[in-house]
DNA sequence: ATAATAAAAGATGTTTTTGTCTTTTATTAT
DNA sequence: ATAATAAAAGACAAAAACATCTTTTATTAT
C-alpha cells in the first residue's frame, strides 16, 4: 500500500495523461490512456467513469470521442482528484486510527502528523492537473516506466 | 485507508500500551491490551505474535505471563515497528505507483513527495516507543476514544 | 506431577480492493 | 437511416486485508 490507493494512483496518472493530450487539442480513448500510463484498461475505465460523473474529467462518446479536460478541469488542484477517489481521510483522520483526530485528546503522534500532513495537503493544493504538460512532453517527468 | 494499514495502527497503539505497563513493572495480557487500545482481540493477537517473532516486543507464556518490552525495544524508533508491519514502501515506492521511485525519470510528484516523505521518515525515526509513557499516564495523549 | 494460565499456532470466514469480461447507450460520419 | 465508434453500465472473479474461533504449547504456582 502506498500513500494513495491503487485506484487513486491510476486516476492521477490518467488525468496527467489526458491533460497532455487535451492541450494538444485531442480527445483520447481509454485504450491509449491505459497503455500510456500502464494500467489495466477495464479497471481504469471504471475509475474514469466515476471521475466523469463527478465532473473531474470530461468525455464524449462515439467516433472522435474520448476523454478530455475543460479549462476548469485543467486548473484543478490535484487534491480534488485525490479526495474524489480516496476521500479526505488522509488529511482528516487520526494517523493511529483513533475514532477522530483532534488536538484535545490527541494520540501520541498527533502533532507530528499534523505538520507532515499539512505540508502534503498544501503541496497537493498548489499543484494543478495541467501544470506538467511541458515537462511530460520533454520527458523530464514520466507516467510509466 | 489511512497513512498506515489498520494492522499497523493496531501495532503502534499496542506497543505504546505495552511500553506503559512495562515501565510500571508489569507484563500485560492480550485481553487487556485489546480493550486498552480498542482493537479486535484475536486479530491483535496475530499481530503481536508476528512482532514477537521479529523481536519488536517480548512475551512469556503461562501465569504471570504476557507481553512486555526490554530496554532495547523501549528505545526502538517507531519506524522500525512500521517497517516490520507495512514494509518500507511508504518511504521508498513511487507515490504515483510507478515501478520504482528515482530522481532520473521521476514522476510529476517526485520532488514534492520526496520532501514530505523525508520529513515523515525523520519524525518516525526520532520518536521512540517508550517516550510517551508519562504523557499517557497524565492523560495528555490517549490510545483510544 | 497437576492444574491453571496465557501466548502460539492453525483453520476458517468476511469485507474491501483490485481486476476482467460482456452488453448497452450515445455520438458521429457516411 | 445506417454503420462504426467509443464511453457507460453491469455482472462477475481473484487477491489482499481484516477478523474470528479453536486447538496446541509453554510456563508457573501449587
Ligand atoms: S489524534 Fe491521532 S493524528 Fe490527530
Ligand atoms: S518517481 Fe514518483 S515519487 Fe519518486
Amino acid at each position: 500500500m502506498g500513500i494513495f490507493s491503487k485506484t487513486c494512483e491510476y486516476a492521477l496518472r490518467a488525468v496527467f495523461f489526458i491533460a497532455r493530450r487535451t492541450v494538444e487539442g485531442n480527445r483520447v480513448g481509454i485504450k491509449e490512456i491505459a497503455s500510456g500510463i500502464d494500467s489495466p484498461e477495464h479497471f481504469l475505465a471504471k475509475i474514469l467513469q466515476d471521475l466523469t460523473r463527478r465532473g473531474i474529467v470530461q468525455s464524449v462518446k462515439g467516433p472522435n470521442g474520448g476523454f478530455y479536460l475543460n479549462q476548469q478541469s485543467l486548473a484543478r488542484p490535484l487534491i480534488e482528484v485525490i479526495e474524489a477517489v480516496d476521500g479526505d481521510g488522509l488529511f482528516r483522520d487520526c494517523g493511529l486510527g483513533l475514532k477522530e483526530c483532534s488536538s484535545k485528546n490527541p494520540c501520541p503522534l498527533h502533532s507530528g502528523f499534523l505538520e507532515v500532513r499539512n505540508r502534503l495537503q498544501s503541496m497537493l493544493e498548489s499543484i494543478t492537473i495541467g501544470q506538467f504538460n511541458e515537462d511530460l512532453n520533454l520527458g523530464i517527468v514520466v507516467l510509466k516506466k
Side-chain angles (χ1 to χ4, degrees), chain A:
Chain A
M1 183 218 291
I3 185 153
F4 305 128
S5 67
K6 215 106 227 333
T7 303
C8 192
E9 292 173 350
Y10 292 145
L12 291 169
R13 307 219 301 270
V15 296
F16 281 132
F17 189 90
I18 298 170
R20 189 166 160 216
R21 282 289 187 284
T22 292
V23 297
E24 292 170 1
N26 300 309
R27 295 183 185 127
V28 54
I30 185 69
K31 272 193 188 21
E32 190 183 346
I33 305 172
S35 95
I37 69 170
D38 196 25
S39 75
E41 179 185 328
H42 296 286
F43 187 40
L44 180 63
K46 291 291 177 207
I47 297 167
L48 289 181
Q49 275 166 38
D50 186 55
L51 290 181
T52 302
R53 269 190 299 269
R54 293 169 185 273
I56 306 276
V57 308
Q58 284 69 50
S59 71
V60 299
K61 292 181 176 182
N64 280 311
F67 296 91
Y68 66 101
L69 299 173
N70 61 25
Q71 283 308 310
Q72 195 186 354
S73 291
L74 277 170
R76 223 181 283 280
L78 276 199
I79 198 166
E80 292 190 29
V81 180
I82 291 157
E83 292 191 336
V85 178
D86 280 353
D88 62 1
L90 185 58
F91 311 105
R92 309 190 67 79
D93 293 351
C94 169
L96 278 193
L98 300 192
K99 292 205 177 68
E100 85 255 340
C101 171
S102 67
S103 10
K104 26 188 30 172
N105 290 106
C107 75
L109 298 187
H110 179 77
S111 73
F113 267 135
L114 209 60
E115 199 246 324
V116 169
R117 118 203 311 177
N118 284 347
R119 222 160 239 282
L120 178 67
Q121 185 166 12
S122 60
M123 172 192 111
L124 295 171
E125 276 165 351
S126 69
I127 294 180
T128 66
I129 295 177
Q131 92 183 55
F132 288 99
N133 296 317
E134 197 179 340
D135 286 353
L136 283 168
N137 282 331
L138 293 172
I140 295 174
V141 300
V142 301
L143 295 176
K144 75 186 247 194
K145 286 180 179 170

